[in-house]
Amino acid sequence: MANPYAPPESGDAAHAEPIMGMVEPVPGPPTSVPKVFGILSIIFASLLLIFGLLSGCVGMAFDSITNLGSNLPQGGQGAANAKLMMKHLGQIYFYMGIQGFAFAAMSAVLLAIGIGQLRYRRWARPWTVNWSIAAIVMLLAMVVFSFAVIGPAYQTMFESIANAGPSGAMPSAMMGSKVSNMVGGTSGVMMLVLYVPYPILQLIYFTRPRVAAVMNT
């Protein structure tokens, strides 16, 4: 009769029950998170790069937009208002051009990071984290810029046109104030809502140890 208190023989050791807390976790299959984000980053960055370059080029052409007013017929209140509007529009487009080139620069960096993510490059993980933090900061700064600069620029344009017109044009100034608040506020908030989820998701996933473990090439 076998002694129940005897230690297990070598043949039974492999079938012994593991002691709780002493078993190493079984590694799961390699995660595909870097590959998925790499594809998304390349697509997202390519679209925003084109959009940012177009916006920047249009914005930098503010001198041409402003000079359109000089080609209008001289004399008349309508011509004066049109020239004034072109002058302010040139400034507004210049501000939008700055935003466009900022988007283009961030998108170019994200495009390179996306290629690294797709190839599971080790350097792509810290770059992803740093880029995501910078993108969130930049988006918040653009919201402030929209409220503090672009919105007031629209308001100044409408107020100038209203002051240049007859005294009965005061409702136009009031309308301009509403439009400036809408443009400065709504556009900035919409920009934040549309673009900030992606860097937040990247921060969540690329700070996980499992993702860091597979990005080792």
Side-chain angles (χ1 to χ4, degrees):
M1 183 174 182
N3 185 1
Y5 300 101
E9 297 180 2
S10 59
D12 299 330
H15 303 286
E17 291 293 331
I19 301 175
M20 184 175 295
M22 299 294 291
V23 179
E24 295 184 359
V26 178
T31 178
S32 60
V33 166
K35 182 177 182 180
V36 172
F37 272 97
I39 296 172
L40 292 176
S41 295
I42 292 172
I43 296 174
F44 188 60
S46 299
L47 293 176
L48 281 183
L49 180 61
I50 296 172
F51 169 77
L53 288 175
L54 289 176
S55 299
C57 292
V58 171
M60 292 300 108
F62 72 99
D63 282 331
S64 299
I65 296 173
T66 303
N67 292 333
L68 287 176
S70 61
N71 298 326
L72 295 173
Q74 300 295 324
Q77 191 61 47
N81 289 346
K83 291 179 182 178
L84 200 57
M85 179 179 290
M86 290 297 177
K87 175 183 177 181
H88 290 292
L89 277 179
Q91 187 178 30
I92 292 169
Y93 272 89
F94 174 71
Y95 294 146
M96 291 182 175
I98 295 175
Q99 286 186 332
F101 279 129
F103 269 111
M106 291 294 291
S107 300
V109 177
L110 180 61
L111 183 60
I113 292 173
I115 296 173
Q117 292 170 343
L118 191 62
R119 297 179 178 179
Y120 289 77
R121 295 291 189 254
R122 184 180 292 107
W123 60 264
R125 193 188 70 84
W127 273 83
T128 299
V129 174
N130 294 333
W131 182 92
S132 299
I133 295 173
I136 294 172
V137 172
M138 189 191 78
L139 288 170
L140 291 174
M142 284 189 174
V143 172
V144 175
F145 186 78
S146 297
F147 274 103
V149 178
I150 295 180
Y154 272 103
Q155 184 173 356
T156 301
M157 180 182 71
F158 282 102
E159 287 177 350
S160 299
I161 294 173
N163 293 333
S167 58
M170 188 58 66
S172 297
M174 296 175 62
M175 182 190 69
S177 178
K178 293 180 180 179
V179 172
S180 65
N181 291 333
M182 180 184 68
V183 172
T186 305
S187 64
V189 172
M190 287 299 296
M191 186 186 305
L192 189 66
V193 171
L194 288 175
Y195 297 133
V196 81
Y198 192 70
I200 290 178
L201 287 174
Q202 288 200 127
L203 275 178
I204 293 173
Y205 281 96
F206 282 88
T207 52
R208 293 179 175 178
R210 188 175 178 183
V211 174
V214 298
M215 300 185 72
N216 54 11
T217 59

